[in-house]
Amino acid sequence: MCELLGMSANVPTDICFSFTGLMQRGGGTGPHRDGWGIAFYEGRGLRAFHDPNPSIDSPIARLIADYPIKSKVVISHIRQANVGQVCLENTHPFSRELWGRTWCYAHNGQLDPGLFEWPLGTYQPVGTTDSEYAFCWLLGEIRQHFPTPPEDSQQLVEFIHSRAERLRQLGVFNMLLSDASSLYCYCSSKLAWITRRSPFGQAHLSDCELAVDFAAVTTPNDIVTVIATEPLTCNESWHKLAPGEMVVFFEGEVQAHRLSPASS
Amino acid sequence: MCELLGMSANVPTDICFSFTGLMQRGGGTGPHRDGWGIAFYEGRGLRAFHDPNPSIDSPIARLIADYPIKSKVVISHIRQANVGQVCLENTHPFSRELWGRTWCYAHNGQLDPGLFEWPLGTYQPVGTTDSEYAFCWLLGEIRQHFPTPPEDSQQLVEFIHSRAERLRQLGVFNMLLSDASSLYCYCSSKLAWITRRSPFGQAHLSDCELAVDFAAVTTPNDIVTVIATEPLTCNESWHKLAPGEMVVFFEGEVQAHRLSPASS
């Protein structure tokens, strides 16, 4: 299994604090020694860092933890390999272009090998993971159904949710997906989020001796949502998603919310 | 105008020395202060770093100059903006997936705005540069002409050359392009390359007081080709390409060579 970390904010925000917590799980407090990656949107651009080495040993991970890259949407992943060997092309997050936007995706879980029989459209995997195959399938489905972006964004939310539900039938499919604006978070087994806004308090990382006083690093108008497979802090109350639940964030706020028909 | 740097090698090789030279032109000895990017293939995976800030001031550029990432194919670019504002999505190299391979591309030059009338296929630009538009057009043409990879790689070389020739009619189109294996280098106005192999000598960077003794950092079987818009060293003899000439490198060696019908 792997760990996911996402962020949606209304102002460019650095994720150093949460990333430091996640990195500890990359061979420190967790077993996820098979690479890590992080992607930051900056406007429509995507800045991605991948490393097939454990995050705890990685000079690139240390650079990111120390150097505050500010972004409104971030997707990060650390990996414990199950399907696909440990190599760069199998390292999340994955990205592809659709409608002139760079879509970025990371997956936690494992899917039945039957997945590899599902026909693909425009997008072909570069590596050999079930995760990237699922991404190519999902994005191909979106592209086929919506050759151009739908005017009603709710249609897109419904569609992505329906396809995520299909993937969940093949196993565990916790997913973070973004088009540079919205952050689609689908829960199959575990995903939790917290929105921080004024008045900001102090947070303590569960995985290492680090606290941050958000009041000191934010302005009163900042709204910052962090989402992760497991809560990253020990003194805050995180919302846990139910299996089949999808929450979409935009500028740090909940934009849409879908439950599985099975669980609603 | 911008500067391009590419590498093709038969063993994973670090490009620290050449990159250090190129970086000096990013606001040091050159006027290219509008961002830079570098992409390293590692197997089929692509590790890309982009920064809209001048390379000479960039902590990420310093990391890359100091931290030897080894690769068989590298494409790098530093930018002096002409078309498109300075932002991450306008920063080279650009990449897209075709045939389950990540294609990477960087361009030096400027093309007539008539380019933006050319119809695109599968690939849409994310940013606003002529360079990315040309890449989307080129890759869309390849995809349309070859829905699957041609068995005869010479056909692909001919086709890419013919489309690069069309782009050259719109202005200056020096290009580096790779599919993770081959490095396609097309010259419109300036591009020069050098192949280093045993017996290795010493090289002196033109742009700063740095020399490297390649014999100390290579093995006798290494073959490393470096290609750049301007020769990077002052004590070696570089091959200059003619306008309309394309050279394709594979594992550091010339794999194919095409001249413009106009100049041949």
Side-chain angles (χ1 to χ4, degrees):
Chain A
M1 289 301 241
C2 314
E3 302 270 353
L4 297 174
L5 170 66
M7 189 191 76
S8 168
N10 68 338
V11 288
T13 303
D14 85 62
I15 198 169
C16 292
F17 173 71
S18 299
F19 186 73
T20 301
L22 189 74
M23 257 181 69
Q24 298 303 314
R25 300 187 187 167
T29 56
H32 312 92
R33 295 192 61 88
D34 297 326
W36 62 279
I38 188 164
F40 304 84
Y41 283 101
E42 203 175 297
R44 294 162 72 93
L46 185 71
R47 197 195 315 251
F49 300 89
H50 293 98
D51 206 329
N53 301 309
S55 53
I56 196 97
D57 300 332
S58 164
I60 302 173
R62 278 198 298 278
L63 173 91
I64 293 163
D66 294 341
Y67 176 60
I69 295 173
K70 294 195 176 213
S71 173
K72 289 166 76 176
V73 181
V74 176
I75 290 179
S76 177
H77 180 273
I78 56 176
R79 177 164 186 245
Q80 184 184 15
N82 40 47
V83 178
Q85 60 167 325
V86 179
C87 58
L88 187 58
E89 65 266 33
N90 286 344
T91 308
H92 306 227
F94 302 104
S95 65
R96 290 291 189 283
E97 174 258 311
L98 168 66
W99 307 326
R101 300 187 77 107
T102 303
W103 289 69
C104 178
Y105 154 105
H107 165 228
N108 157 277
Q110 188 168 0
L111 299 170
D112 185 277
L115 170 72
F116 293 105
E117 315 276 307
W118 290 18
L120 297 176
T122 300
Y123 304 97
Q124 300 289 324
V126 174
T128 53
T129 60
D130 52 352
S131 303
E132 189 194 11
Y133 197 100
F135 176 48
C136 290
W137 177 80
L138 175 62
L139 221 56
E141 288 280 302
I142 298 173
R143 186 178 184 120
Q144 189 180 18
H145 200 82
F146 301 107
T148 57
E151 284 187 23
D152 176 5
S153 68
Q154 190 59 31
Q155 284 181 18
L156 183 59
V157 171
E158 299 281 341
F159 187 82
I160 292 173
H161 183 259
S162 73
R163 293 312 183 267
E165 289 275 277
R166 281 205 208 162
L167 286 162
R168 179 163 71 105
Q169 289 167 14
L170 294 185
V172 176
F173 187 70
N174 300 303
M175 172 191 79
L176 300 180
L177 173 74
S178 180
D179 64 350
S181 304
S182 299
L183 179 63
Y184 300 84
C185 310
Y186 178 79
C187 176
S188 163
S189 62
K190 56 179 184 175
L191 215 47
W193 59 277
I194 186 166
T195 299
R196 299 186 183 114
R197 64 177 88 219
S198 184
F200 290 95
Q202 217 187 40
H204 296 269
L205 279 181
S206 310
D207 294 272
C208 61
E209 301 272 334
L210 187 63
V212 68
D213 178 7
F214 286 111
V217 294
T218 51
T219 72
N221 298 323
D222 293 8
I223 301 170
V224 182
T225 292
V226 172
I227 186 149
T229 26
E230 302 279 2
L232 288 164
T233 56
C234 49
N235 69 324
E236 295 175 303
S237 166
W238 291 61
H239 303 266
K240 291 199 176 179
L241 273 72
E245 189 173 354
M246 186 165 89
V247 183
V248 184
F249 296 97
F250 176 73
E251 304 251 318
E253 306 261 25
V254 174
Q255 178 189 21
H257 196 184
R258 286 284 297 141
L259 291 171
S260 171
S263 61
S264 61
Chain B
M1 291 298 242
C2 315
E3 302 270 351
L4 297 175
L5 170 65
M7 188 191 76
S8 168
N10 68 338
V11 288
T13 303
D14 84 63
I15 198 168
C16 292
F17 173 72
S18 298
F19 186 73
T20 300
L22 189 75
M23 257 182 70
Q24 299 302 316
R25 301 186 187 169
T29 57
H32 312 93
R33 295 193 60 87
D34 297 325
W36 62 278
I38 187 164
F40 303 85
Y41 283 100
E42 203 174 297
R44 295 163 70 95
L46 185 70
R47 197 195 316 250
F49 300 89
H50 293 97
D51 206 328
N53 302 309
S55 53
I56 195 97
D57 300 332
S58 164
I60 302 173
R62 277 198 298 278
L63 172 89
I64 293 163
D66 294 341
Y67 176 62
I69 295 173
K70 295 197 173 208
S71 173
K72 290 167 75 174
V73 181
V74 176
I75 291 180
S76 178
H77 180 273
I78 58 177
R79 178 163 186 243
Q80 185 184 16
N82 41 47
V83 178
Q85 62 168 324
V86 179
C87 56
L88 187 59
E89 65 266 35
N90 286 344
T91 307
H92 306 226
F94 301 105
S95 64
R96 291 290 189 285
E97 174 258 310
L98 168 65
W99 306 328
R101 301 187 77 106
T102 303
W103 289 69
C104 177
Y105 154 105
H107 165 228
N108 157 277
Q110 188 168 0
L111 299 171
D112 185 277
L115 170 72
F116 293 104
E117 315 276 306
W118 290 17
L120 297 176
T122 301
Y123 305 98
Q124 299 289 324
V126 175
T128 54
T129 61
D130 52 352
S131 302
E132 189 194 10
Y133 197 100
F135 176 48
C136 290
W137 177 80
L138 175 62
L139 221 56
E141 287 281 301
I142 297 173
R143 186 179 182 118
Q144 190 179 17
H145 200 82
F146 301 106
T148 56
E151 284 186 26
D152 176 6
S153 67
Q154 190 59 30
Q155 284 181 18
L156 183 60
V157 170
E158 299 282 340
F159 187 82
I160 292 174
H161 183 258
S162 72
R163 292 312 182 267
E165 289 275 276
R166 281 206 207 161
L167 286 162
R168 180 162 72 105
Q169 290 168 13
L170 294 186
V172 177
F173 187 70
N174 301 303
M175 172 191 80
L176 300 180
L177 173 74
S178 180
D179 64 349
S181 304
S182 298
L183 179 64
Y184 300 84
C185 308
Y186 178 79
C187 176
S188 163
S189 62
K190 56 178 183 175
L191 214 48
W193 59 277
I194 186 166
T195 299
R196 299 187 182 115
R197 65 178 87 219
S198 184
F200 290 95
Q202 217 187 41
H204 296 269
L205 279 181
S206 309
D207 293 272
C208 61
E209 300 272 334
L210 186 63
V212 67
D213 179 5
F214 286 111
V217 294
T218 50
T219 71
N221 298 324
D222 293 8
I223 301 169
V224 181
T225 291
V226 172
I227 186 149
T229 27
E230 303 278 3
L232 288 164
T233 55
C234 48
N235 68 325
E236 296 175 299
S237 165
W238 292 61
H239 303 267
K240 292 199 176 180
L241 273 72
E245 190 174 354
M246 187 166 89
V247 183
V248 185
F249 297 97
F250 176 73
E251 305 252 318
E253 305 262 24
V254 175
Q255 177 188 23
H257 195 185
R258 286 284 297 143
L259 292 171
S260 172
S263 61
S264 60

Coordinates of all heavy atoms in Angstrom, one line a residue, chain B residues 189-219:
Chain B
S189 N 18.9 27.0 -37.6 CA 19.9 28.1 -37.7 C 21.2 27.7 -37.0 O 22.3 28.1 -37.5 CB 19.4 29.4 -37.2 OG 19.0 29.3 -35.9
K190 N 21.1 27.1 -35.9 CA 22.3 26.7 -35.1 C 22.1 25.5 -34.2 O 21.1 25.5 -33.5 CB 22.8 27.9 -34.3 CG 21.8 28.5 -33.3 CD 22.4 29.6 -32.5 CE 21.4 30.1 -31.5 NZ 21.9 31.2 -30.6
L191 N 23.0 24.6 -34.3 CA 23.0 23.4 -33.5 C 24.4 22.8 -33.7 O 24.8 22.7 -34.9 CB 21.9 22.5 -33.9 CG 21.2 21.6 -32.8 CD1 20.8 22.4 -31.6 CD2 20.0 21.0 -33.4
A192 N 25.1 22.4 -32.7 CA 26.4 21.8 -32.8 C 26.5 20.6 -31.9 O 25.9 20.6 -30.8 CB 27.5 22.8 -32.5
W193 N 27.3 19.6 -32.3 CA 27.4 18.4 -31.4 C 28.8 17.9 -31.4 O 29.7 18.2 -32.3 CB 26.5 17.3 -31.9 CG 26.7 16.8 -33.3 CD1 26.1 17.4 -34.4 CD2 27.4 15.7 -33.7 NE1 26.5 16.7 -35.5 CE2 27.3 15.6 -35.1 CE3 28.1 14.7 -33.1 CZ2 27.9 14.6 -35.9 CZ3 28.7 13.7 -33.8 CH2 28.6 13.6 -35.2
I194 N 29.1 17.2 -30.3 CA 30.4 16.5 -30.2 C 30.2 15.2 -29.6 O 29.4 15.0 -28.7 CB 31.3 17.4 -29.3 CG1 32.7 16.8 -29.3 CG2 30.8 17.6 -27.9 CD1 33.8 17.8 -28.8
T195 N 30.9 14.2 -30.1 CA 30.9 12.8 -29.5 C 32.2 12.6 -28.8 O 33.2 12.7 -29.4 CB 30.6 11.8 -30.5 OG1 29.4 12.0 -31.2 CG2 30.6 10.4 -29.9
R196 N 32.1 12.3 -27.5 CA 33.3 12.0 -26.7 C 33.4 10.5 -26.5 O 32.4 9.9 -26.1 CB 33.3 12.7 -25.4 CG 33.2 14.3 -25.6 CD 33.4 15.0 -24.2 NE 33.2 16.4 -24.4 CZ 32.3 17.2 -23.9 NH1 31.3 16.7 -23.2 NH2 32.3 18.5 -24.2
R197 N 34.6 10.0 -26.8 CA 34.8 8.5 -26.6 C 36.2 8.3 -26.3 O 37.0 9.3 -26.4 CB 34.3 7.7 -27.8 CG 35.1 8.0 -29.1 CD 34.6 7.1 -30.2 NE 33.5 7.7 -30.9 CZ 32.4 7.0 -31.4 NH1 32.3 5.7 -31.1 NH2 31.5 7.6 -32.0
S198 N 36.6 7.1 -25.9 CA 38.0 6.8 -25.5 C 38.9 7.1 -26.7 O 38.6 6.7 -27.9 CB 38.1 5.4 -25.1 OG 39.3 5.0 -24.7
P199 N 40.1 7.6 -26.6 CA 40.7 8.1 -25.4 C 40.1 9.5 -25.0 O 40.1 10.4 -25.9 CB 42.2 8.3 -25.7 CG 42.2 8.5 -27.2 CD 41.1 7.8 -27.8
F200 N 39.6 9.6 -23.8 CA 39.0 10.9 -23.4 C 40.0 11.9 -23.0 O 41.1 11.6 -22.5 CB 38.1 10.7 -22.2 CG 36.8 9.9 -22.5 CD1 36.8 8.5 -22.3 CD2 35.7 10.5 -23.0 CE1 35.7 7.8 -22.6 CE2 34.6 9.8 -23.3 CZ 34.5 8.4 -23.1
G201 N 39.7 13.2 -23.3 CA 40.7 14.2 -22.9 C 40.0 15.1 -21.9 O 39.1 14.8 -21.2
Q202 N 40.6 16.3 -21.8 CA 40.1 17.3 -20.9 C 39.3 18.4 -21.7 O 39.6 18.7 -22.8 CB 41.3 18.0 -20.2 CG 40.9 18.4 -18.8 CD 42.0 19.2 -18.1 OE1 42.5 20.1 -18.7 NE2 42.3 18.9 -16.8
A203 N 38.2 18.9 -21.1 CA 37.4 19.9 -21.7 C 37.3 21.1 -20.8 O 37.2 21.0 -19.6 CB 36.0 19.3 -22.0
H204 N 37.3 22.3 -21.4 CA 37.2 23.6 -20.7 C 35.9 24.2 -21.1 O 35.6 24.5 -22.3 CB 38.3 24.5 -21.0 CG 39.7 24.0 -20.6 ND1 40.2 24.2 -19.4 CD2 40.5 23.1 -21.3 CE1 41.4 23.6 -19.3 NE2 41.6 22.9 -20.4
L205 N 35.0 24.6 -20.1 CA 33.8 25.3 -20.4 C 34.1 26.7 -20.9 O 35.0 27.4 -20.3 CB 32.9 25.4 -19.2 CG 32.1 24.1 -18.8 CD1 31.2 24.4 -17.6 CD2 31.2 23.7 -20.0
S206 N 33.4 27.1 -21.9 CA 33.5 28.5 -22.5 C 33.0 29.5 -21.5 O 33.5 30.6 -21.5 CB 32.7 28.6 -23.8 OG 33.0 27.6 -24.7
D207 N 32.0 29.1 -20.7 CA 31.2 30.1 -19.9 C 31.7 30.3 -18.5 O 31.2 31.2 -17.8 CB 29.8 29.8 -19.9 CG 29.2 30.0 -21.3 OD1 28.8 31.1 -21.6 OD2 29.2 29.0 -22.1
C208 N 32.5 29.5 -18.0 CA 33.0 29.7 -16.6 C 34.4 28.9 -16.5 O 34.7 28.1 -17.3 CB 32.0 29.3 -15.5 SG 31.6 27.6 -15.6
E209 N 35.0 29.2 -15.4 CA 36.4 28.6 -15.1 C 36.2 27.2 -14.7 O 36.4 26.9 -13.5 CB 37.1 29.5 -14.1 CG 37.3 30.9 -14.4 CD 38.6 31.1 -15.2 OE1 39.5 30.3 -15.1 OE2 38.6 32.1 -16.0
L210 N 35.9 26.3 -15.5 CA 35.7 24.9 -15.1 C 36.2 24.0 -16.2 O 36.0 24.2 -17.4 CB 34.2 24.7 -14.9 CG 33.8 23.3 -14.2 CD1 34.4 23.2 -12.8 CD2 32.3 23.1 -14.2
A211 N 37.0 23.0 -15.7 CA 37.5 22.0 -16.7 C 37.2 20.7 -16.1 O 37.0 20.5 -14.9 CB 39.0 22.2 -16.8
V212 N 37.0 19.7 -16.9 CA 36.8 18.3 -16.4 C 37.7 17.4 -17.3 O 37.9 17.6 -18.5 CB 35.3 17.9 -16.5 CG1 34.8 17.8 -17.9 CG2 35.0 16.6 -15.8
D213 N 38.2 16.4 -16.6 CA 39.0 15.4 -17.2 C 38.1 14.2 -17.4 O 37.9 13.5 -16.5 CB 40.2 15.1 -16.4 CG 41.1 14.0 -17.0 OD1 40.8 13.6 -18.1 OD2 42.0 13.5 -16.3
F214 N 37.5 14.1 -18.6 CA 36.6 13.0 -18.8 C 37.2 11.6 -18.6 O 36.5 10.7 -18.2 CB 35.9 13.1 -20.2 CG 35.0 14.2 -20.3 CD1 35.2 15.3 -21.1 CD2 33.8 14.2 -19.7 CE1 34.3 16.3 -21.3 CE2 32.9 15.2 -19.8 CZ 33.2 16.3 -20.6
A215 N 38.5 11.5 -18.8 CA 39.1 10.2 -18.6 C 38.9 9.7 -17.2 O 38.8 8.5 -16.9 CB 40.6 10.2 -19.0
A216 N 38.8 10.7 -16.2 CA 38.7 10.3 -14.8 C 37.3 9.9 -14.4 O 37.1 9.3 -13.4 CB 39.2 11.5 -14.0
V217 N 36.3 10.3 -15.3 CA 34.9 10.0 -14.9 C 34.2 9.1 -15.8 O 33.0 8.9 -15.8 CB 34.1 11.4 -14.8 CG1 34.6 12.2 -13.6 CG2 34.2 12.2 -16.1
T218 N 34.9 8.4 -16.7 CA 34.3 7.6 -17.7 C 35.0 6.2 -17.7 O 36.1 6.1 -17.1 CB 34.4 8.2 -19.1 OG1 35.8 8.5 -19.4 CG2 33.5 9.4 -19.3
T219 N 34.4 5.3 -18.4 CA 35.1 4.0 -18.7 C 35.5 4.0 -20.2 O 34.9 4.7 -21.0 CB 34.2 2.8 -18.3 OG1 33.2 2.7 -19.3 CG2 33.6 2.9 -17.0

